[in-house]
Amino acid sequence: MKKFTLHLDVLIVVFILFVLCISGNIYQRKIHSDLHKQNISLITELTNEKLAFIEKKTLLNKCESDLEIIN
C-alpha cells in the first residue's frame, strides 16, 4: 500500500492560490459595484436629458403652431 505524504510546500502554494483567488474576487466585486453605480448615474442622466429634449420639442412645436396662427 502506498503511503500518502503531504508536503508543506504544496500546502503553501495551495493556500497562496486560495488567497489570491479570494482577493481577486473581492477586487472584481468592488470594480463591478463602482461600474454599476456609474451605470445607474448615466441612465438617470440620460433619462433627464430625454425628458428635457421632449419638453423643448413640445415647446418648439407649440411656438411653431402659434407662429402659423399669427401668419
Side-chain angles (χ1 to χ4, degrees), residues 16-57:
I16 290 172
L17 288 175
F18 178 75
V19 169
L20 287 174
C21 287
I22 296 299
S23 60
N25 283 337
I26 291 170
Y27 178 69
Q28 283 184 342
R29 185 173 179 96
K30 182 188 176 311
I31 289 175
H32 179 267
S33 176
D34 292 344
L35 288 174
H36 180 69
K37 288 176 187 174
Q38 185 181 8
N39 186 30
I40 294 298
S41 173
L42 288 173
I43 288 172
T44 304
E45 184 180 336
L46 178 64
T47 303
N48 291 338
E49 293 293 326
K50 282 183 179 180
L51 288 174
F53 176 72
I54 290 170
E55 182 181 347
K56 295 209 186 315
K57 189 175 178 183

Side-chain angles (χ1 to χ4, degrees), residues 61-71:
N61 288 340
K62 182 179 181 286
C63 288
E64 285 177 347
S65 66
D66 289 346
L67 185 62
E68 287 176 0
I69 291 173
I70 293 174
N71 289 335

